[in-house]
Amino acid sequence: MHSLVPLFLIAGAAVGVEIALTRFFAVASWSEYGYWVISIAMTGFAVSGVVMVIGRAVFLRHARWLLPLLPVVMLAAGGLGWIGVTLNGFNPLELQNPATAGAQLWNIALYYAALFPFFFLAGLAVSLNFVVHAGEVGRVYGYDLLGAGTGAVLALGLMFVLHPFALVPALLPLLAVAAMISGGTAWRLAALLVLAATEAAVLALAAPRVNEFKPIYAPLNVPESRVVAEVLSPRGVYLLLDNFTERLDTDVSNNAGTMGLPAPPRSFGLYRDGARIAALPMGQPEAAHARAALDAAPYVLIDAPRVLALGSAGGFRAAEALALGAARVTVIEPEPVIRRALTHGLGPSPAPAPDPRVRIAAAHPLTATGRYDLVDIAGDFLGADEQNRTAYTAEALAGFLARLEPGGMVSVPIGIRELPVYAVRVLATAREALRLAGAAEPERHVAVIRSAWNLRVLIAREPFDAARVERLAAFADERSFDLSYAPGLAAEGREVWNDLPPVSLESDTVDQGGEAQDAVAREAALVLAGTPPADAFDRSPVTADRPWLSPLVRLPSLGAALARIEILPQQEIGLLVNVAVLAQAILLALVVSLLPLAARGALRVPVPVLGRALVYFPALGLGFLLIEIAFIEHAALLLGDRTSGFALVLTTMLVFSGLGAMWAGRVRAPGRALGLAVLVALGCSALALLGVRGAVLAALDWPWALRAALLVLALAPISLALGFPFPLGLDRFQQEGAGLLPWAWALNGAFSVVATPLANLLGHGAGLSWLLAAGMCCYAAALIAWPGKRP
């Protein structure tokens, strides 16, 4: 009964360390580089299967001492790998400079060298258990998945009490326990000694640190800088900083002094994982600067508006709205730490004093009720939380338009300091939102005003008339802002206060033209008319099925992006990394697929059986991950947090798939059980395609515990069904040849490596619905590849 407990612990340690490493990259570098951890982990699992295929007889002969040895060696490899990762000097920004890129490519290789041994040994331990217990593969697979799910929960729980830099060392003792259970007294002593030596080495040599190019690095290291509050949670590491550089980050006119208005007040800076997400007031929020800010534009067009403010700007946004003449302000702040600061304060930053004109609403931005004159999105709203991007979709903007009273408008901010095309994509989204709202001429409902760094898209319920355009132009001229687009406004021949030259991947230079330019003005009319320029950048609307503003680079233009990588912002580099990881994963999948075939005597089965295996197990590896990643994205919206969504989906699917695998080991008609399981999985996926968004929106305002319970209940049937195909396939295919069992494990792992970057590219490029549809096709292919009865 207890012989598989060590496997449970090894799987838990492997997945826990994998999640811990993704959090390390989010804090120390940037979160998109956490994909490497998944790639390295699955690469280790895949290669272990190939090694087991080739050396199966040797491993089986020495299994008695290998089973306790592997977790001990894993323990040492995990500690050494963690030390290597923390000492790595990787800086992703240097990838954009040809002179420094070579060193960074070497650093990437060092990450693989540091982490591969740990995950290879984990895969070897799992595949050895499959070989040793070949007669009960369902039970083995069940313990593996249940352990992995438990490891995910443990890692998530530790994030509430430990800094991400302490997570990996905290999870390594699981491996010592696994070794102590597997072996006798000598192995117990060895495990304790290796654990003590490993933790001592980690304590002495590991040096995790924050990349010097992250926004927090400079303010954290100025003289007399102080961390005045800290919050640890799975969402991130929150630090509240106090130093002379911290100031309310709002875009104020250079003419503020001549207007007799002060600069924005000093503030505390709130950072999450090294990125600044809000300014918190040092006393009660001040708003004397508000009339000089770009954000004030819509307030000159509407008298005494009733405002729905999406994002609180740490408490400053309501004060600014009131200073600009708002009659009432309803604030929706989805970010939980900022929301708590609004009601209870955070560290030395007090909560804003109660005001009868201001209400803090508990609703989600997508489900806000009531009627308003202005829906005003805060300038830092998009960067305050990853899930806030869902408010920038065409469906969301159309919903805000439906909440407006006659004469009302929606004010949408976007930064333009990195690429003006982000603003152009927001314009395309605004056009689609107006089309959904029934506007016959969307271009007459939009105005665009900007500074040198930021831009506001004003989307009006009724068409802009000449009087409103004139008032907006006067507002812009007084503050030296630029009115880039308004109905009836000439696109050329106007004075441009803030130079904004167009950026192109097709040209080796930035077009200056000898005079100030307005790249947004050049494209606004074309985009709003539904005829956007065709080049390397994607200008399609952001939708609920594709809720990402970035990356903008189209996949066919990757060559041009690499040639001009120095002009691309950080969020675009992630796309290039993703493509590189996919290319590496495909190469690995080919090696794993073909190498055992070349090993003489490793696989002695008929060619048709090999062909079916080459469809069946890769289809399962791809299908499971594609479906899982699609559900993670929906869960992130449902729970308001990607980390919680990831952890709960991963845990639920692993645990229930593990139960399904154990159940699969007891069925008497495997072909019929497989058909029924795939039918259930396809049916659940089809229901998700039809109704998942509506169900998520209906539950957004429920208490978090109820939303989490709904997610578990929704995922349980499909996860249980997805647990059947792999153990059933292992059991059936190994009847054709014992070497097929570890090879199948390798194939599944190799194509799981392919699935992660492929899912990201497919989701961003085509939409989440395509992920589910592709996963369904994979399981249908697996069902077709199921071998017939042996003669």
Side-chain angles (χ1 to χ4, degrees):
M1 176 69 179
H2 297 291
S3 59
L4 292 177
V5 172
L7 171 64
F8 176 92
L9 294 170
I10 290 170
V15 171
V17 168
E18 183 180 347
I19 293 173
L21 287 168
T22 63
R23 288 293 300 130
F24 164 77
F25 275 100
V27 175
S29 183
W30 280 272
S31 58
E32 55 262 38
Y33 299 103
Y35 290 132
W36 288 342
V37 180
I38 300 172
S39 173
I40 296 169
M42 300 312 298
T43 299
F45 293 160
V47 174
S48 71
V50 174
V51 171
M52 186 62 67
V53 170
I54 297 172
R56 179 179 176 277
V58 176
F59 283 106
L60 191 56
R61 189 163 57 249
H62 299 291
R64 184 173 181 179
W65 59 269
L66 280 174
L67 287 173
L69 174 66
L70 284 172
V72 173
V73 181
M74 269 184 74
L75 174 57
L80 291 174
W82 171 244
I83 293 170
V85 165
T86 64
L87 296 178
N88 193 311
F90 174 68
N91 183 355
L93 296 185
E94 292 187 4
L95 288 170
Q96 296 177 260
N97 185 341
T100 57
Q104 298 312 315
L105 293 175
W106 176 247
N107 283 333
I108 293 172
L110 290 178
Y111 277 135
Y112 276 77
L115 296 177
F116 174 81
F118 176 81
F119 292 108
F120 168 76
L121 291 167
L124 205 60
V126 175
S127 58
L128 180 59
N129 272 278
F130 274 120
V131 170
V132 170
H133 303 281
E136 45 182 350
V137 291
R139 186 163 164 260
V140 174
Y141 192 52
Y143 268 81
D144 175 39
L145 294 183
L146 289 171
T150 304
V153 172
L154 178 60
L156 187 69
L158 288 174
M159 290 178 199
F160 285 104
V161 294
L162 294 179
H163 191 281
F165 292 171
L167 287 176
V168 170
L171 290 163
L172 292 178
L174 291 176
L175 297 167
V177 177
M180 293 167 71
I181 295 174
S182 295
T185 302
W187 286 111
R188 293 178 189 132
L189 291 174
L192 289 174
L193 288 173
V194 172
L195 176 62
T198 300
E199 297 289 4
V202 166
L203 185 63
L205 301 175
R209 63 196 182 280
V210 175
N211 185 289
E212 61 268 27
F213 286 98
K214 295 205 81 170
I216 196 174
Y217 187 86
L220 193 61
N221 290 280
V222 300
E224 299 182 6
S225 177
R226 296 184 304 137
V227 176
V228 294
E230 181 182 49
V231 177
L232 298 177
S233 82
R235 296 180 68 92
V237 175
Y238 294 82
L239 297 178
L240 190 65
L241 299 191
D242 177 17
N243 62 65
F244 71 89
T245 69
E246 296 292 350
R247 188 168 288 278
L248 175 62
D249 187 15
T250 190
D251 200 341
V252 174
S253 166
N254 292 330
N255 303 343
T258 62
M259 297 172 65
L261 299 173
R266 275 203 59 203
S267 68
F268 296 110
L270 181 62
Y271 294 78
R272 184 184 60 239
D273 287 350
R276 196 173 193 268
I277 62 171
L280 297 188
M282 291 188 160
Q284 289 306 305
E286 303 172 30
H289 63 280
R291 288 197 298 113
L294 180 69
D295 299 350
Y299 293 86
V300 304
L301 305 178
I302 308 173
D303 295 328
R306 290 162 294 175
V307 179
L308 174 63
L310 302 186
S312 63
F316 286 102
R317 196 62 193 137
E320 291 170 339
L322 293 174
L324 292 169
R328 293 199 306 272
V329 184
T330 299
V331 178
I332 293 180
E333 178 53 74
E335 215 295 323
V337 172
I338 302 177
R339 186 169 63 246
R340 189 174 71 189
L342 295 180
T343 54
H344 298 91
L346 181 63
S349 178
D355 189 313
R357 298 169 295 174
V358 178
R359 181 173 71 93
I360 309 298
H364 190 277
L366 300 185
T367 60
T369 58
R371 307 290 298 179
Y372 304 94
D373 301 302
L374 174 63
V375 177
D376 187 12
I377 302 178
D380 59 5
F381 181 73
L382 190 58
D385 191 271
E386 183 190 18
Q387 292 309 308
N388 288 352
R389 59 183 163 79
T390 58
Y392 276 64
T393 64
E395 293 87 346
L397 295 179
F400 299 148
L401 287 168
R403 297 283 170 215
L404 295 177
E405 296 284 7
M409 65 179 57
V410 180
S411 178
V412 185
I414 189 70
I416 54 174
R417 68 181 66 200
E418 293 180 315
L419 275 181
V421 187
Y422 289 118
V424 177
R425 195 166 191 191
V426 171
L427 283 174
T429 307
R431 180 184 185 275
E432 178 64 13
L434 286 161
R435 191 192 65 78
L436 293 174
E441 299 175 284
E443 65 274 12
R444 296 184 59 209
H445 294 253
V446 176
V448 179
I449 187 170
R450 69 172 183 86
S451 68
W453 308 114
N454 298 290
L455 176 147
R456 282 265 169 183
V457 178
L458 306 181
I459 312 169
R461 173 178 149 156
E462 286 81 29
F464 278 90
D465 56 26
R468 272 191 161 182
V469 172
E470 185 177 345
R471 290 168 69 184
L472 196 56
F475 170 88
D477 288 342
E478 184 181 11
R479 294 158 180 80
S480 297
F481 294 145
D482 290 292
L483 189 57
S484 294
Y485 176 86
L489 191 71
E492 303 291 341
R494 295 180 289 106
E495 183 173 8
V496 176
W497 295 102
N498 305 281
D499 189 25
L500 186 65
V503 177
S504 170
L505 295 184
E506 287 77 9
S507 172
D508 291 334
T509 60
V510 176
D511 180 15
Q512 294 290 349
E515 59 183 24
Q517 300 176 77
D518 191 336
V520 174
R522 289 185 176 188
E523 295 193 26
L526 292 173
V527 170
L528 290 170
T531 56
D535 60 15
F537 293 123
D538 183 5
R539 294 170 177 81
S540 61
V542 180
T543 66
D545 202 46
R546 293 176 62 213
W548 296 280
L549 267 170
S550 63
L552 287 172
V553 177
R554 300 179 190 273
L555 287 179
S557 301
L558 286 177
L562 286 171
R564 303 215 58 205
I565 192 173
E566 73 279 358
I567 70 170
L568 294 176
Q570 172 62 32
Q571 54 266 39
E572 298 298 319
I573 305 301
L575 170 70
L576 304 181
V577 171
N578 205 69
V579 172
V581 171
L582 178 60
Q584 166 218 296
I586 292 173
L587 179 62
L588 170 71
L590 290 174
V591 170
V592 168
S593 300
L594 301 177
L595 186 60
L597 300 181
R600 182 174 299 177
L603 299 173
R604 292 186 239 177
V605 294
V607 171
V609 175
L610 288 176
R612 288 180 177 273
L614 276 170
V615 173
Y616 189 88
F617 294 105
L620 297 185
L622 284 170
F624 191 94
L625 266 294
L626 291 175
I627 291 173
E628 180 181 65
I629 290 171
F631 281 129
I632 285 172
E633 293 298 333
H634 291 298
L637 173 58
L638 176 66
L639 301 180
D641 169 32
R642 182 175 178 81
T643 302
S644 297
F646 171 79
L648 192 56
V649 170
L650 181 66
T651 302
T652 301
M653 293 192 70
L654 288 174
V655 168
F656 279 93
S657 294
L659 295 175
M662 290 183 170
W663 188 358
R666 302 176 182 178
V667 299
R668 295 183 178 179
R672 185 180 302 171
L674 175 71
L676 182 60
V678 171
L679 185 62
V680 171
L682 295 181
C684 291
S685 298
L687 286 175
L689 277 174
L690 296 174
V692 66
R693 178 165 174 79
V696 168
L697 290 177
L700 280 177
D701 291 331
W702 292 8
W704 191 92
L706 285 181
R707 283 178 279 149
L710 173 66
L711 180 63
V712 172
L713 288 174
L715 288 176
I718 188 172
S719 302
L720 196 69
L722 294 181
F724 276 72
F726 190 68
L728 290 176
L730 287 179
D731 190 57
R732 178 64 185 86
F733 276 94
Q734 75 166 334
Q735 295 174 22
E736 307 289 344
L740 277 175
L741 194 152
W743 186 50
W745 168 253
L747 286 173
N748 186 267
F751 282 87
S752 295
V753 180
V754 173
T756 300
L758 178 63
N760 281 289
L761 291 176
L762 185 60
H764 282 77
L768 297 177
S769 297
W770 283 92
L771 288 186
L772 278 173
M776 293 168 68
C777 290
C778 287
Y779 276 94
L783 183 60
I784 294 171
W786 177 258
K789 294 183 179 180
R790 302 182 69 183

